[in-house]
Amino acid sequence: VSKRGGKMRCSWFREEFDRNLEALRDMDDELRSALLNEEFRVLYQPLVDAKSRRVVSVEALLRWVRPDGKLIGPDVFIPIAEESGLINSIGLWVLRVACGDALAWGNIKLSVNISAAQLRNPEFPIQLGNIIEETGFPAERLELEITETCLVLDPVVAERSLDIIRGFGVSVALDDFGTGYASIGFLRQFRFQKLKLDRSLVVDSAGDESSRAMMLSSISMARALKMDVTAEGVETQAQADLVRSAGCDQIQGWLYFRPMPPEEIEQHLLLPASPFECERDTYGKKIA
Ligand code: C2E
Ligand code: MG
Ligand code: MG
Ligand code: MG
């Protein structure tokens, strides 16, 4: 009985595996045509200065709007695009669109997420340089957000590419800090201009003494290395008060802004943001 059961399980796994593989391939084909058919959209989430609550930068966040109207988030399709290498073309497309959009937004900065596969591509710095030149976007206003996996996978190429990129005047931020293993040595080696404290650290700090200690020590370490600190995923006034008193320089989160389409950005650049502890949809409007 057990032998038969084992065999059945085995073939079940096999079928499941084939199905998954097929689904992945389908998704990859769809992504390819999504790029051709312009189904991607770049939304922008404003970040505010912790003290003045004025918008100091925006982060470009990719969305896929399928022909059936379904909105798909990057956590779903970016890993697939990374697997197939399609992330290289998608990533360049995002950079080109975002630099074009952000030209109109005065002096605020623009942050763009870059995945490990992009940074591993030795052509990437040249391609980035071309986009900066073509769009005329000031390199000093551009910031790339990378995660530590970018650097662990291929530290030699990464370091060389980051040197070239910084040579353009572009700054580099370490994203999702507090979720992985990034060490002080690591932060020094790669000379980030900014540390983005992951949402999980922010959320836990509100209730948990050890998370708060970790946040405070991350901030003082960033200070010592002359890095700016942004708190990610701030949803409540209590969290905003906490990260502000801990010394964060910028605040990003739904308390102030949701990601929104480019045409809505300009209206938020004039006045300090008002906190809004309420559910809003991705287009910044209140849900009933
Ligand atoms: P990330 O770079 O850490 O971006 C922050 C994520 O937190 C975004 O999710 C944002 O919408 C979300 N967020 C912002 N404020 C809050 C908040 O107050 N509460 C909560 N719960 N979430 C908040 P999103 O847009 O789904 O993006 C997920 C991840 O996908 C990003 O994480 C980034 O790693 C990746 N990604 C997004 N766009 C791109 C892109 O153009 N290229 C690449 N390579 N990766 C991208
Ligand atoms: Mg990011
Ligand atoms: Mg992050
Ligand atoms: Mg993330």
XYZ file of all heavy atoms in Angstrom, residues 59 145 175-176 196 198 232, ligand 3:
61
model
N 9.029 57.335 -5.331
C 9.537 56.029 -5.740
C 8.669 55.485 -6.862
O 7.443 55.444 -6.750
C 9.540 55.039 -4.563
C 10.022 53.644 -4.986
C 10.200 52.649 -3.840
O 9.893 53.003 -2.686
O 10.641 51.522 -4.128
N 17.389 52.019 -6.096
C 17.184 51.235 -4.884
C 17.551 49.797 -5.177
O 17.000 49.177 -6.089
C 15.723 51.313 -4.426
C 15.331 52.709 -4.009
C 13.974 52.758 -3.312
O 13.376 51.699 -3.036
O 13.521 53.891 -3.051
N 17.652 49.037 -0.067
C 16.214 48.853 0.177
C 15.986 47.705 1.163
O 16.825 46.816 1.287
C 15.544 48.516 -1.163
C 14.077 48.906 -1.200
O 13.517 49.257 -0.153
O 13.493 48.852 -2.300
N 14.839 47.729 1.825
C 14.393 46.625 2.684
C 15.383 46.278 3.785
O 15.517 45.116 4.168
C 14.120 45.350 1.848
C 13.067 45.583 0.788
O 12.352 46.592 0.867
O 12.965 44.743 -0.131
N 17.010 52.282 3.596
C 15.552 52.255 3.733
C 15.164 51.154 4.715
O 15.365 49.965 4.435
C 14.884 52.041 2.366
C 15.164 53.199 1.407
C 14.291 53.137 0.171
C 12.892 53.616 0.447
N 12.058 53.657 -0.790
N 13.034 48.582 6.404
C 11.890 47.811 5.930
C 10.668 48.001 6.825
O 10.767 48.201 8.029
C 12.247 46.325 5.870
C 11.211 45.540 5.100
O 11.160 45.706 3.869
O 10.428 44.795 5.731
N 10.078 52.913 5.784
C 9.110 52.427 4.794
C 7.837 51.926 5.464
O 7.888 51.420 6.587
C 9.686 51.221 4.041
C 10.811 51.481 3.099
C 11.088 50.228 2.264
O 11.601 49.228 2.788
O 10.782 50.268 1.063
Mg 11.503 48.343 0.478
